[in-house]
Amino acid sequence: ISGPGIQVAEVNRYLRNVDDNAALIAAAPDLLAACEQAEYWLNEQAEGGEIVQPDEMLRVLRAAIAKASGNAT
């Protein structure tokens, strides 16, 4: 099905991009916080400070990635 000068597939692709962009914009604060937290943890370990459990770092990073990709639960 097509309309005057525009394909339905093109509209669907555009709408998916809008949804993807909205999810990424909404997740930006979580992504920044996760990156800042990961940087802090890695710096602490590099300087011989607090030992961070990898599962905690992965949990925070995975949650931010899931939100950005629209797969948050």
Side-chain angles (χ1 to χ4, degrees):
I1 301 173
S2 64
I6 191 160
Q7 298 283 332
V8 171
E10 290 177 44
V11 171
N12 288 337
R13 187 171 42 254
Y14 172 78
L15 292 175
R16 273 195 311 276
N17 287 339
V18 169
D19 289 343
D20 291 346
N21 290 340
L24 188 55
I25 290 167
D30 293 329
L31 288 168
L32 176 60
C35 288
E36 289 173 339
Q37 197 168 18
E39 178 190 29
Y40 171 79
W41 287 332
L42 292 170
N43 280 329
E44 283 293 311
Q45 287 188 325
E47 295 172 2
E50 174 187 352
I51 301 293
V52 175
Q53 299 301 319
D55 57 330
E56 177 62 14
M57 187 185 306
L58 286 171
R59 184 192 65 74
V60 170
L61 292 170
R62 286 176 178 154
I65 291 167
K67 186 171 183 181
S69 63
N71 295 322
T73 55

